Amino acid sequence: MKLKTISAILLMFALLTGFNSVKADSDFDKAILKGKKTLKEGMDKSDEVILKKARGQFERILQLKQQPWLVNYYIALADYGLATTGMVKEDKETIKKYTESGINVINKSIDENPEFCDSYVLLESLNFNRWQYEQEKMQEIIAATQSADAQAKKLDAENPRYVLVTGISQFYTPEAFGGGIKMAIPTLEKSSELFKTRKEKSELYPDWGYDMALGYLALSLLKRNDDGDLSKAEVLIVEALKINPDSGFISGYVQKEYKTASAESK
Amino acid sequence: MKLFFILFITLTFLVQIGITFSQVSDSAETSQFTIISGKVTGEKNEVLSGANLVIEGTIDGATSDEKGLYEFETEKTGQANLIVTSLDYATKNIPIDILPGQKMVLNVKLTKTEIKTDEILVTASSFTSGNNNAVTLTPLEIVRIPGADADLYRAITTFPGSNQVNEGSRITVRGGNPNEVLTIVDMASLYNPFIFDETFNTSSYSTINPWGLKGINFTSGGFSAKYGNVLSAVLDLKSYDMPQGSGMFAWLGLANASLSGVYLSDNRKIGATFTAGKLFLEPFFAINGKHSEYSPIPQSNQLGGTLSFTLGKTGNLKMYGNYSDDKVGIKNAGPTYDGFFEGSSKNYFSNIKLTTAPSVSTLLSVGGSFSLNENNSKYGVLNTTEKNIYSKGRAEYTLQLNNKTDINTGLEYEYNEYDITGTVPLFSYNLALNAPSLTLDTNSNSGRLGAYLEAQIRLTDDLFVIPGVRTDYHSLSSKASFDPRISFGYLIKQNHTVRGAFGLYHQYPSLLDYSRSRENELKPESALHYILGYEFNNDNKIIFRVEGYYKDYSDLVLFNRANFFYGSEGDGNVKGVDVFFKTKISNKFTGWISYAYSDSKRRQFDAQILAPSNYDITNNMSIVGSYNLSDKIVLGLSYKLSTGKPYTPVSGSTFDSTMNVYVPIYSEINSGRFPTYDRLDMNAQYIFSLFGKFAVGVLAVNNIFNKDNLYDYTYNSDYSTQLPIYTNNKRTLYVGLGLQL
């Protein structure tokens, strides 16, 4: 009897614990997905208020004490978005404030899970922001970005976001400095191809970038402007808007560039 | 680089975009929930948007909107803790009692995390670099200042109040002696970070790499109580605790080559840096010609590095080591000896530092350092080897009492040993090889125990005060000193600050001075600093500073003609005004103008009456400008104009038949002055890509107008003719290439 009782209690305890953890996971998943939704909206609209709201949502999720590295990843991503709003306003204080916060938070995330490739991609991008307000630390910034790049490549060279960031970097870097559209186009094509077949391990994981890869590829083609590039760019823009109809980048910037290029070619 | 900025503006403006998400429906809430709402503000009732509020242990909460307002529902009831966070503000925990179904209104006021009593903000006479709002100097500027040769100390002399010694890296501040300036690196005292420091007519260079520094704080007076045993100025340098990545940088120039690197392990717990450099002047002399006869020509080697470990969540252990050596022989024709001055030196420096935060409001640093400087000099009968050893142990502790007050305290013990062996002339004027001499083989040592306590207090939003006290005890002289100090910063209105400082400063004489005293009875030399200044700083776009100071010296080392010993009867004073104007116009132009007026008089060493101090430079002006011609090309120009330094002329001579030499008769100490010093330097930097890597090319022309600036005077054998010795820093061309590997 005694053994039965103990077994029953243990079973009940296990069930209860299991149930609770399932419930907690569910709460966590729901909260993460909800935060991702807000973050996407903030980034699509480049809206500071919505981005702050998203940041707050993820901060609150930390209270659940589950996968803090993932939650911190999203907080850092929100910081990155907020730093971007500073760039649009040419407000260096905002860029610095959120870039530094983002670097701190993503470093925390990396400490908690050093095997997540996307964290290094974000760390690399955040470090690039530092050019905006501390150019004098050129050597340090180069070392930091190179180090993050190497680590991301080592963990998952086929991560389409890693390839995308490399492609964007090449897009903006002059040929004399080892960049240019000749290099960017194949890289962005590779990123787009990788996105096609990419399936994240969990829907909770970051999945951004496909529309951007297409958008940047379109911009590269517009810049190259060889025969047929214009129509290829148009196809890419349509495809990108199918993937993310709310993308301010595609509808507000890439499409505009396409229209300008079209008008010039007539 | 701009291209990268544009790049990442857009990169970011887009990373956004990407996130493709699943739809998540917000669950409907029930009326059982309690509604909590309110407003979040800062200390001055300014609205705080983006503040996060959450009930501990739940995800119930909200983010404050543009008006600082928030509202959320929770099903939690009873006692709970509301956590409020916002970037740059201290986290607030508010215990609340939640009644079900109620509406609660809770307004929250947050206070800034960072206490504004930052030393940089408050300390008078400071020129700084680092993460603060009062940055006046950046590593990039150090590298780009024409004529500074990428040397931190030379760069500092373009700011008011400091001057180069013999156009080298040794500096003097506000008329003081060079040894009254203390360099600190990561809490360790660095007494000789120079090569060619004690060499005849050869400018010294520092061995500190400005790129490895996280923060630079140079203060020419009124400094904190944590700095002990220093009379005039402090250069406090902080290196990076951990490299932020891995990479290498190579430099090849007309006179030198170096290789440096940083390494960060994959788990980012271990970091290392190294620098190896060599000076070779043959190509430089081939292009620019020699202005002196050398044997050997100046040569130097350097090797250094750091090793860092992250310990736990807040700990960092860092080890630092550096070695340098130099050697030179340079011809000098003196009244009694015509030959080569041969000098060489070796410097070792090592430091270990452990930093940890035992709690969120405390920081503890402990460390130890060791340095050895060996210096050989040979000229005529003079032939000495000097060794100076310093070892130091210290601990510093910071406690953030509350958001208005920080307490800093520390303890240090420093051991100093000085050896001198060899021969020195019995009479300073006779250096002939067969001149009477003294053979030395002496050793002396001493310990110094120091402690300080300091508070950084924000009395009001606009007034910051740092009162502190320190005490030191010197074992050789059995003398103690006690130094009360206070400094303040008052923000009159935005961008306008008044700063002031008052305090007592002590420095024990060198062991060589003690060896010339009677029973080591020298007191610590003392100075009272009075400083008051005003600064306008418009977000570093325009910085204007004016600062007046007065220092009252006492107990200076003075030669006692009655007993032929050194005593502590000397005194003196210095008064002056420093003016500094710096402007930055977009990213195109940065420039500054410094002017310093100083009047420094001392009764010290052989000066029996109050006379101009050795480095009393009455007027000193520097103009520095840097212009970005394009994203790739930067041009710089630097001009320096200053009153010549004092010297003691020889007014006649008598003949000493026993030694067969003339004995000079000196005028009053420092009654003569060198001619006005002026020099114009320029440089250009070109940033480009080489093998797909970042590269920088440098072209520098120093002393464009080939001015003959004076190093010293010498005399013919009977002292009837004064002969100028010009510096070797004539017009020179230098080219160099750096490559990020």
Side-chain angles (χ1 to χ4, degrees):
Chain A
M1 276 299 284
K2 198 175 177 184
L3 188 65
K4 271 187 178 177
T5 311
I6 292 168
S7 303
I9 290 168
L10 282 175
L11 179 63
M12 193 165 68
F13 178 75
L15 282 172
L16 280 173
T17 326
F19 176 77
N20 281 337
S21 68
V22 168
K23 184 175 182 292
D25 280 346
S26 172
D27 282 349
F28 176 76
D29 290 2
K30 275 171 65 180
I32 288 281
L33 292 174
K34 191 175 169 184
K36 280 180 73 178
K37 186 184 167 193
T38 313
L39 186 53
K40 177 183 179 299
E41 188 190 351
M43 288 190 150
D44 277 344
K45 295 179 180 170
S46 196
D47 187 311
E48 193 177 338
V49 174
I50 301 174
L51 285 166
K52 282 181 179 173
K53 190 179 166 191
R55 193 184 194 283
Q57 283 176 321
F58 286 113
E59 269 196 81
R60 293 194 287 279
I61 298 171
L62 282 176
Q63 288 292 318
L64 296 179
K65 300 191 188 327
Q66 290 183 59
Q67 300 188 56
W69 64 270
L70 183 63
V71 185
N72 279 322
Y73 170 84
Y74 283 116
I75 293 173
L77 189 58
D79 281 336
Y80 187 60
L82 284 159
T84 307
T85 64
M87 292 180 201
V88 175
K89 292 185 292 184
E90 294 186 356
D91 175 2
K92 285 193 179 177
E93 281 304 307
T94 300
I95 301 169
K96 186 178 176 186
K97 175 178 168 181
Y98 288 107
T99 296
E100 287 183 356
S101 168
I103 289 174
N104 283 337
V105 177
I106 199 66
N107 277 329
K108 209 183 290 177
S109 170
I110 290 171
D111 285 344
E112 288 155 350
N113 178 7
E115 304 299 320
F116 191 55
C117 172
D118 276 284
S119 297
Y120 296 96
V121 175
L122 183 55
L123 178 63
E124 183 180 2
S125 304
L126 281 160
N127 269 302
F128 271 123
N129 280 358
R130 294 167 60 196
W131 285 115
Q132 304 263 345
Y133 59 87
E134 50 182 4
Q135 301 157 37
E136 71 277 6
K137 294 183 179 171
M138 179 180 76
Q139 284 182 294
E140 186 194 318
I141 295 170
I142 290 175
T145 50
Q146 283 182 346
S147 181
D149 184 275
Q151 198 59 21
K153 191 175 181 179
K154 187 177 159 190
L155 286 169
D156 186 3
E158 301 294 289
N159 181 321
R161 276 171 295 283
Y162 165 66
V163 182
L164 169 64
V165 168
T166 308
I168 295 170
S169 173
Q170 289 165 343
F171 177 83
Y172 286 105
T173 305
E175 278 184 43
F177 285 85
I181 53 167
K182 277 183 193 166
M183 294 189 72
I185 288 173
T187 311
L188 292 164
E189 281 173 343
K190 183 184 174 188
S191 173
S192 306
E193 286 302 311
L194 289 169
F195 270 118
K196 268 185 196 168
T197 53
R198 178 79 171 184
K199 184 154 174 55
E200 303 301 338
K201 286 178 187 166
S202 158
E203 63 175 339
L204 304 184
Y205 283 13
D207 47 15
W208 57 268
Y210 194 0
D211 56 328
M212 281 173 63
L214 296 171
Y216 265 96
L217 189 52
L219 285 174
S220 303
L221 294 172
L222 292 175
K223 206 170 170 183
R224 187 173 70 179
N225 205 13
D226 283 354
D227 280 351
D229 278 351
L230 210 59
S231 51
K232 281 183 202 165
E234 187 183 10
V235 172
L236 291 168
I237 291 167
V238 171
E239 203 180 330
L241 283 172
K242 270 186 202 165
I243 292 161
N244 183 10
D246 301 323
S247 168
F249 170 58
I250 302 294
S251 58
Y253 181 67
V254 185
Q255 249 182 353
K256 199 175 156 190
E257 291 292 305
Y258 168 74
K259 280 175 189 166
T260 308
S262 297
E264 282 171 0
S265 71
K266 282 173 187 171
Chain B
M1 298 310 109
K2 194 176 174 183
L3 300 156
F4 274 92
F5 310 159
I6 299 165
L7 176 179
F8 286 96
I9 288 175
T10 328
L11 164 65
T12 30
F13 167 56
L14 22 109
V15 159
Q16 42 153 325
I17 348 281
I19 313 174
T20 52
F21 302 81
S22 317
Q23 293 292 315
V24 181
S25 60
D26 295 339
S27 58
E29 314 293 356
T30 72
S31 59
Q32 294 295 319
F33 291 5
T34 302
I35 297 173
I36 301 175
S37 63
K39 188 173 183 179
V40 186
T41 57
E43 291 153 285
K44 292 180 178 176
N45 292 324
E46 71 276 22
V47 163
L48 290 185
S49 74
N52 182 47
L53 302 98
V54 64
I55 292 175
E56 190 172 9
T58 76
I59 55 170
D60 298 343
T63 307
S64 62
D65 65 15
E66 292 156 292
K67 294 175 182 171
L69 301 173
Y70 73 91
E71 182 177 302
F72 65 92
E73 295 174 330
T74 180
E75 60 181 337
K76 189 171 174 72
T77 58
Q79 298 292 323
N81 182 36
L82 182 69
I83 304 168
V84 190
T85 55
S86 182
L87 279 185
D88 297 340
Y89 287 83
T91 298
K92 195 160 192 170
N93 288 284
I94 306 170
I96 53 175
D97 191 7
I98 305 171
L99 302 171
Q102 298 284 310
K103 281 192 175 181
M104 293 176 68
V105 176
L106 199 62
N107 295 325
V108 183
K109 191 170 275 196
L110 297 180
T111 50
K112 285 265 186 191
T113 12
E114 283 183 308
I115 190 161
K116 285 186 185 170
T117 48
D118 192 326
E119 181 182 33
I120 280 60
L121 194 70
V122 179
T123 305
S125 311
S126 281
F127 292 91
T128 67
S129 168
N131 294 322
N132 57 71
N133 295 323
V135 169
T136 41
L137 176 70
T138 68
L140 188 67
E141 286 170 352
I142 292 168
V143 172
R144 285 185 173 168
I145 292 172
D149 302 325
D151 189 302
L152 172 61
Y153 292 85
R154 291 168 188 233
I156 283 170
T157 58
T158 63
F159 294 114
S162 56
N163 278 287
Q164 288 174 275
V165 175
N166 301 326
E167 293 185 288
S169 298
R170 272 278 180 197
I171 59 176
T172 72
V173 174
R174 291 178 172 170
N177 294 326
N179 68 351
E180 293 168 10
V181 180
L182 176 66
T183 300
I184 307 265
V185 176
D186 294 335
M187 296 166 60
S189 301
L190 190 52
Y191 289 99
N192 199 16
F194 305 107
I195 51 174
F196 305 119
D197 188 30
E198 303 282 343
T199 307
F200 174 81
N201 202 2
T202 306
S203 297
S204 59
Y205 283 85
S206 98
T207 52
I208 294 172
N209 173 11
W211 290 111
L213 301 173
K214 168 171 80 170
I216 300 165
N217 182 20
F218 177 70
T219 169
S220 48
F223 39 86
S224 152
K226 76 175 173 183
Y227 305 115
N229 199 32
V230 55
L231 215 53
S232 286
V234 172
L235 177 61
D236 190 356
L237 308 172
K238 288 183 175 60
S239 66
Y240 287 100
D241 285 341
M242 188 64 76
Q244 300 199 358
S246 300
M248 287 178 76
F249 191 77
W251 181 265
L252 181 62
L254 202 55
N256 61 328
S258 66
L259 184 68
S260 56
V262 290
Y263 165 77
L264 180 65
S265 69
D266 285 352
N267 66 5
R268 307 187 315 154
K269 306 275 186 207
I270 302 171
T273 67
F274 80 92
T275 305
K278 187 169 181 63
L279 185 78
F280 44 81
L281 284 167
E282 289 90 344
F284 185 80
F285 284 146
I287 299 271
N288 295 293
K290 287 181 194 169
H291 303 291
S292 287
E293 200 178 329
Y294 291 102
S295 179
I297 64 170
Q299 50 194 260
S300 169
N301 301 291
Q302 192 197 345
L303 183 65
T306 62
L307 198 55
S308 314
F309 302 91
T310 297
L311 304 174
K313 285 193 173 177
T314 61
N316 177 270
L317 177 69
K318 184 163 63 175
M319 288 171 275
Y320 179 103
N322 193 70
Y323 164 80
S324 65
D325 62 44
D326 64 70
K327 194 174 183 184
V328 63
I330 181 169
K331 188 77 179 292
N332 178 41
T336 54
Y337 182 71
D338 183 358
F340 284 90
F341 174 92
E342 294 171 46
S344 65
S345 75
K346 285 179 183 171
N347 290 294
Y348 306 86
F349 173 71
S350 59
N351 184 38
I352 182 166
K353 183 183 139 191
L354 173 69
T355 307
T356 184
S359 71
V360 288
S361 58
T362 57
L363 185 70
L364 175 69
S365 298
V366 293
S369 61
F370 171 82
S371 70
L372 166 64
N373 166 235
E374 184 183 306
N375 200 40
N376 301 294
S377 304
K378 191 175 174 189
Y379 182 68
V381 71
L382 173 78
N383 187 356
T384 57
T385 297
E386 292 171 277
K387 278 185 193 170
N388 237 318
I389 293 172
Y390 287 93
S391 42
K392 185 174 167 185
R394 72 275 166 186
E396 287 182 359
Y397 181 74
T398 297
L399 167 67
Q400 187 170 15
L401 270 186
N402 52 48
N403 59 12
K404 291 188 187 299
T405 310
D406 273 7
I407 301 288
N408 303 321
T409 184
L411 186 70
E412 65 185 15
Y413 177 77
E414 186 171 64
Y415 171 79
N416 178 206
E417 184 179 319
Y418 175 75
D419 285 320
I420 181 167
T421 55
T423 54
V424 293
L426 190 60
F427 305 100
S428 61
Y429 53 83
N430 190 359
L431 286 155
L433 283 169
N434 58 354
S437 62
L438 285 173
T439 301
L440 299 177
D441 186 1
T442 63
N443 173 290
S444 53
N445 63 70
S446 178
R448 180 179 60 83
L449 183 65
Y452 73 91
L453 178 66
E454 178 182 83
Q456 298 185 333
I457 308 166
R458 180 163 56 155
L459 285 178
T460 70
D461 285 347
D462 303 320
L463 178 62
F464 320 114
V465 181
I466 305 181
V469 289
R470 78 165 290 125
T471 181
D472 291 271
Y473 175 77
H474 189 250
S475 62
L476 184 66
S477 60
S478 301
K479 298 235 172 353
S481 58
F482 179 76
D483 298 348
R485 300 172 191 177
I486 187 165
S487 57
F488 74 91
Y490 177 61
L491 193 67
I492 307 167
K493 60 179 181 177
Q494 193 179 5
N495 305 332
H496 301 263
T497 309
V498 171
R499 295 194 189 100
F502 166 75
L504 186 57
Y505 298 79
H506 281 99
Q507 181 171 349
Y508 291 90
S510 71
L511 288 174
L512 185 63
D513 293 337
Y514 274 104
S515 69
R516 298 185 61 182
S517 68
R518 188 165 57 188
E519 294 173 358
N520 300 315
E521 63 183 4
L522 294 180
K523 296 176 186 171
E525 295 185 314
S526 134
L528 260 174
H529 292 200
Y530 305 83
I531 299 168
L532 188 63
Y534 159 81
E535 177 175 309
F536 171 79
N537 187 334
N538 180 17
D539 196 23
N540 285 340
K541 288 179 190 131
I542 294 176
I543 301 172
F544 172 74
R545 270 190 200 186
V546 59
E547 192 168 273
Y549 62 88
Y550 179 77
K551 293 185 195 176
D552 190 5
Y553 299 103
S554 57
D555 299 331
L556 299 182
V557 174
L558 186 68
F559 178 64
N560 187 326
R561 285 183 176 170
N563 60 19
F564 298 100
F565 284 113
Y566 273 178
S568 294
E569 290 78 34
D571 56 14
N573 63 70
V574 56
K575 53 184 176 292
V577 178
D578 290 348
V579 184
F580 177 68
F581 174 78
K582 182 178 180 181
T583 184
K584 184 178 180 182
I585 302 171
S586 69
N587 281 328
K588 281 284 180 190
F589 175 81
T590 304
W592 61 89
I593 300 174
S594 302
Y595 168 76
Y597 166 80
S598 167
D599 178 14
S600 171
K601 290 188 171 56
R602 292 188 181 195
R603 276 199 316 135
Q604 190 177 23
F605 299 119
D606 294 329
Q608 300 295 315
I609 58 166
L610 213 54
S613 63
N614 290 343
Y615 296 94
D616 173 39
I617 310 294
T618 314
N619 296 288
N620 187 19
M621 184 180 72
S622 287
I623 302 173
V624 178
S626 171
Y627 183 74
N628 294 356
L629 204 60
S630 70
D631 287 342
K632 296 181 177 179
I633 300 173
V634 184
L635 299 177
L637 210 62
S638 169
Y639 178 66
K640 198 161 210 172
L641 177 69
S642 57
T643 310
K645 72 171 186 176
Y647 79 103
T648 307
V650 174
S651 55
S653 65
T654 57
F655 186 70
D656 181 338
S657 55
T658 51
M659 289 195 291
N660 199 27
V661 294
Y662 285 87
V663 180
I665 300 167
Y666 290 101
S667 304
E668 287 298 334
I669 297 269
N670 288 340
S671 56
R673 277 203 184 262
F674 283 8
T676 300
Y677 172 91
D678 78 305
R679 187 172 130 172
L680 180 70
D681 305 312
M682 66 81 64
N683 66 12
Q685 290 186 16
Y686 177 56
I687 298 165
F688 60 106
S689 174
L690 189 64
F691 313 122
K693 302 283 186 183
F694 277 90
V696 58
V698 170
L699 168 76
V701 184
N702 285 352
N703 195 359
I704 293 173
F705 295 128
N706 207 22
K707 290 282 295 187
D708 279 328
N709 287 307
L710 201 64
Y711 169 75
D712 203 351
Y713 285 114
T714 185
Y715 294 85
N716 63 349
S717 59
D718 65 0
Y719 295 89
S720 59
T721 307
Q722 189 183 51
L723 303 164
I725 303 174
Y726 295 112
T727 78
N728 285 316
N729 298 305
K730 302 285 174 60
R731 179 168 52 222
T732 55
L733 173 77
Y734 176 85
V735 289
L737 174 70
L739 183 66
Q740 186 89 31
L741 301 174

